[in-house]
């Protein structure tokens, strides 16, 4: 049974509302019984069943931020779209709050496909997904599992298993480093159980340290300023639970990416600290895969990580390319 959620009805996105699409709030349920909240965008003055796209990300963001921006833009271009909050976050259900799971979050994407495939406005044979940042990795994982998905776009992708297990830039890729992480996380589990609460890890650093690395400054510029701040966003506020992403340490999400047969477009900024995730994911996806003619890696010159959240003031998101890609593969 789908649970009743407390959904905000007024427009509270960080981007302006378009008069070219109809917007509404919807809910749907994943196979674990968690009710998810989403914004649906439908192009105006269209007839017949539409191609559809489910959008999610970044990791720790909400649908009022980048995913909603992508969803509304693609609806303006003729697609029925939904931008959803993952389980345990935003307006979606799930207890305790601020947890993540490689399994449940992949399931969230599949549940969005369930909703679209059953929607009378949608052509069930024309469904795609877009994953942004950490949800780019989740999108690839879903594409490897869900044969209903005909086309996948990842934008400024993170592999959340890799970054949790190996650290940024693989600087902690050793058994000793991982063991130290496991010790710290399990000690926190004991403390959480004793107190009956979950300690938050903290969102983006605020105030910003003078010696912060560039990628932290990049995140601050989006999540902690009016450019991207939202009161429900984990990254804009208290962050995930310390133990919230623990399962990513030993549950890799891209083990079968080279068995993806459907179309995939991987997009990343040339100057993004995270670009190695996309380059390596693309390399691994096509390694030994007989279905490579519909796979593409697109590097955006000069773009940093958050430029692909909202364009970065320089129209860095290649929406024309994304539209043409979905037009071709959601035939």
């Amino acid at each position: 049974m789908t649970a009743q959620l407390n959904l905000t009805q007024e427009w509270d996105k960080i981007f302006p509302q378009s008069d070219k699409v109809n917007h509404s709030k919807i809910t749907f349920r994943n196979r674990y019984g968690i009710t998810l909240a989403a914004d649906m965008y439908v192009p105006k003055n269209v007839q017949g069943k539409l191609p559809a796209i489910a959008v999610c990300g970044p990791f720790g963001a909400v649908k009022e931020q980048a995913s909603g921006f992508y969803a509304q833009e693609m609806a303006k271009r003729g697609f029925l779209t939904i931008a959803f909050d993952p389980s345990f976050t935003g307006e979606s259900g799930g207890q305790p709050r601020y947890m993540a799971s490689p399994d449940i979050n992949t399931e969230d994407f599949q549940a969005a496909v369930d909703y679209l495939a059953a929607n009378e406005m949608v052509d069930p044979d024309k469904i795609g997904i877009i994953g942004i940042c950490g949800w780019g990795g989740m999108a690839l994982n879903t594409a490897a599992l869900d044969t209903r998905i005909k086309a996948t776009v990842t934008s400024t992708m993170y592999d959340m298993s890799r970054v949790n297990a190996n650290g940024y830039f693989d600087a902690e890729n050793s058994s000793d480093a991982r063991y130290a992480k496991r010790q710290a996380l399990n000690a926190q589990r004991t403390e959480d159980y004793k107190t009956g609460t979950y300690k938050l890890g903290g969102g983006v650093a605020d105030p910003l340290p003078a010696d912060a690395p560039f990628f932290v400054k990049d995140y601050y510029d989006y999540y902690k300023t009016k450019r991207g701040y939202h009161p429900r966003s984990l990254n804009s506020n208290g962050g995930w639970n310390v133990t919230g992403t623990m399962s990513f340490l030993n549950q890799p999400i891209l083990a079968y990416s080279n068995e993806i047969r459907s179309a995939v477009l991987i997009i990343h900024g040339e100057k993004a600290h995270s670009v190695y995730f996309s380059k390596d994911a693309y390399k691994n996806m096509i390694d030994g895969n007989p279905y490579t003619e519909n796979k593409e890696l697109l590097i955006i010159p000069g773009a940093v990580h958050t430029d692909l959240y909202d364009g970065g003031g320089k129209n860095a998101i290649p929406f024309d390319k994304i539209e043409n890609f979905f037009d071709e593969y959601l035939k």
Side-chain angles (χ1 to χ4, degrees):
M1 179 179 295
T2 303
Q4 289 294 116
L5 301 178
N6 184 23
L7 302 179
T8 302
Q9 296 303 318
E10 65 269 16
W11 185 265
D12 64 344
K13 324 301 180 196
I14 64 168
F15 51 91
Q17 186 170 10
S18 172
D19 60 3
K20 297 180 180 179
V21 303
N22 292 316
H23 164 262
S24 60
K25 303 296 278 280
I26 64 164
T27 60
F28 54 93
R29 187 182 71 255
N30 70 19
R31 68 187 172 100
Y32 293 110
I34 299 171
T35 300
L36 304 182
D39 289 290
M40 183 165 67
Y41 301 89
V42 182
K44 291 183 177 179
N45 303 317
V46 295
Q47 295 181 343
K49 291 185 177 292
L50 297 173
I53 304 169
V55 191
C56 195
F59 198 81
V62 288
K63 63 188 180 306
E64 289 73 23
Q65 295 172 307
S67 61
F69 178 64
Y70 273 69
Q72 179 174 257
E73 180 61 33
M74 295 310 295
K76 287 160 58 178
R77 295 165 181 261
F79 302 87
L80 184 149
T81 64
I82 59 173
F84 64 90
D85 285 329
S87 295
F88 314 113
T89 66
E91 292 186 306
S92 286
Q95 293 291 336
R97 305 303 291 167
Y98 314 139
M99 288 293 182
S101 161
D103 178 27
I104 295 174
N105 294 146
T106 298
E107 164 62 22
D108 289 343
F109 249 135
Q110 289 200 270
V113 175
D114 292 343
Y115 175 84
L116 292 174
N119 190 301
E120 62 182 10
M121 292 185 288
V122 172
D123 185 333
D125 294 321
K126 298 180 179 180
I127 295 175
I129 59 174
I130 298 175
I132 307 163
C133 188
W135 280 82
M138 230 70 72
L140 281 185
N141 198 42
T142 310
L145 184 61
D146 198 323
T147 57
R148 298 170 300 175
I149 296 168
K150 300 302 188 292
T152 299
V153 170
T154 72
S155 183
T156 199
M157 187 196 82
Y158 258 58
D159 177 343
M160 294 307 299
S161 293
R162 182 176 177 180
V163 75
N164 276 283
N166 299 353
Y168 281 101
F169 314 112
D170 296 328
E172 301 165 0
N173 185 18
S174 72
S175 61
D176 286 344
R178 278 185 286 275
Y179 186 77
K181 290 181 186 180
R182 292 173 185 132
Q183 284 184 308
L185 287 167
N186 284 295
Q188 186 62 53
R189 286 181 68 112
T190 301
E191 186 63 26
D192 288 348
Y193 192 86
K194 288 178 179 179
T195 61
T197 61
Y198 290 91
K199 182 180 178 181
L200 292 176
V204 176
D206 188 18
L208 186 67
D211 61 349
F214 174 75
F215 74 92
V216 175
K217 295 178 181 178
D218 188 25
Y219 284 134
Y220 183 93
D221 187 49
Y222 182 80
Y223 286 109
K224 289 293 188 177
T225 71
K226 67 177 183 179
R227 172 186 168 196
Y229 177 84
H230 194 277
R232 287 193 295 275
S233 170
L234 279 67
N235 295 339
S236 291
N237 297 282
W240 296 94
N241 296 333
V242 172
T243 62
T245 58
M246 185 175 184
S247 57
F248 285 96
L249 269 171
N250 65 341
Q251 295 182 32
I253 58 174
L254 300 182
Y256 296 102
S257 64
N258 67 344
E259 296 184 6
I260 298 174
R261 299 188 180 191
S262 57
V264 177
L265 170 62
I266 295 176
I267 304 168
H268 221 112
E270 175 195 20
K271 301 296 185 182
H273 71 278
S274 49
V275 68
Y276 70 99
F277 288 123
S278 282
K279 289 181 176 179
D280 288 353
Y282 177 75
K283 179 182 177 181
N284 293 335
M285 179 177 61
I286 65 172
D287 183 26
N289 189 339
Y291 301 90
T292 58
E293 72 286 347
N294 56 0
K295 310 293 191 294
E296 183 176 354
L297 172 65
L298 175 64
I299 303 297
I300 307 301
V304 299
H305 186 83
T306 66
D307 283 344
L308 296 186
Y309 285 6
D310 62 355
K314 50 193 173 188
N315 297 317
I317 304 172
F319 279 121
D320 289 345
K321 172 68 174 181
I322 296 171
E323 177 185 2
N324 291 337
F325 171 79
F326 281 123
D327 279 342
E328 179 176 0
Y329 292 107
L330 300 185
K331 294 178 180 177

